Structures are given as C-alpha cells and as structure tokens.
Amino acid sequence: DSEELDATEMEARGYGLSYVSLDGNVGSLVNGAGLAMAVSDMIELSGGRPANILDVGGGARSQRVASAMDILLRDRRLRSIVVGVFGGITRCDEVAAGILSAIERRGAEAPIFVRLTGTNEQEGRHMLAAAPVELVPSLLEGARRAVAAAEASA
C-alpha cells in the first residue's frame, strides 16, 4: 500500500501538484497550504477523517485541476470529496473546467462538494450547475456535508 501511495505522490509531483495521503475517507482538493490545513481541520471538526491533502497551487489551469481530480476520483478509499478554491490568481472557471473534464473521463462515484469564491466565481458556478457536484456556500458547510455523505456510505 505504501508503494502505491509513493506512486501517487510521484504522479502528483509530475503534474505540479502537492499531494499527501492521510488515513481518512474524505478527500480534498484545494489551492494553497492555508486552505489545505483549514479544510482538513473542518473535516475533523465535523467528525470526519481527511484522506489527503491535494494542493493544485496558485494559478492552476484546467489541465492541472483535471489531473488532481482524476487522482481523487480513482481513490477507492474516498467516500466524499471537498473542493475548496479561493480564486485569486487561480480562476474559478478554470477550476470548474478541470473538475468537469475529470468527471467526464472517469465518472464520479463519491459525492463532490464544491466551494468556489473569487476570480470568475460566477462563471465557474454556472459551468458546474448541471454537473454531478453540489455547490456549497462555505468550506465548513462543504466539510459537514462531505462528512455526512462519507458516514452514510460507510
């Protein structure tokens, strides 16, 4: 199992991603170390266990986001996924395009809760409106719903 995790971490690095595997079942995709820590804390405060830290970094384009989402969508440990993006130099429409691309390719078995705020937020939200994801108003709400979904499918 640790060899597989090492392979995933190496694959993530190849895409320009920062990935750390943890022992939980709620996945997360964020942009920035601060958001990574905040989302992990919110998952734990909501009674869940984070499965990973996956940081796409600042200014991530859709292809990098799609690669990150692909890593999460094929992780069979995950019972739900929280996406938390603050669009500064990262554009929310690019994030939405990446999420859609990965779901189109791989499908989405685990429920996905997405919080987008910042640059091109409305465009990103509009793009995801018909997608099999749930847009949430805050990271805390996303974490709460993700933990509830993980518990319901356990």
Side-chain angles (χ1 to χ4, degrees):
D1 194 57
S2 65
E3 286 178 19
E4 184 180 312
L5 297 178
D6 289 343
T8 302
E9 289 173 8
M10 293 299 289
E11 177 189 3
R13 277 195 195 120
Y15 296 128
L17 306 167
S18 297
Y19 176 87
V20 177
S21 182
L22 303 170
D23 66 355
N25 62 4
V26 178
S28 68
L29 184 156
V30 300
N31 67 322
L35 274 175
M37 292 187 315
V39 169
S40 293
D41 285 349
M42 287 180 203
I43 290 168
E44 287 188 14
L45 286 169
S46 299
R49 292 181 358 265
N52 68 279
I53 294 168
L54 181 50
D55 179 0
V56 297
R61 303 297 294 221
S62 63
Q63 186 53 50
R64 190 184 316 162
V65 174
S67 298
M69 200 68 195
D70 191 62
I71 287 171
L72 295 181
L73 292 175
R74 68 174 190 254
D75 186 338
R76 296 291 160 225
R77 300 173 307 143
L78 301 188
R79 298 290 167 247
S80 61
I81 297 170
V82 179
V83 177
V85 171
F86 177 78
I89 58 172
T90 303
R91 293 176 18 205
C92 293
D93 58 328
E94 287 284 332
V95 172
I99 291 169
L100 291 171
S101 174
I103 290 172
E104 233 174 69
R105 269 199 318 270
R106 190 163 288 280
E109 293 181 24
I112 302 168
F113 302 90
V114 180
R115 196 265 184 144
L116 297 176
T117 188
T119 307
N120 294 357
E121 172 184 346
Q122 293 310 322
E123 294 89 332
R125 289 174 148 289
H126 179 73
M127 291 167 71
L128 292 174
V133 303
E134 187 175 335
L135 295 169
V136 292
S138 70
L139 289 176
L140 183 57
E141 185 63 22
R144 286 179 177 155
R145 291 186 191 187
V147 168
E151 288 173 353
S153 74

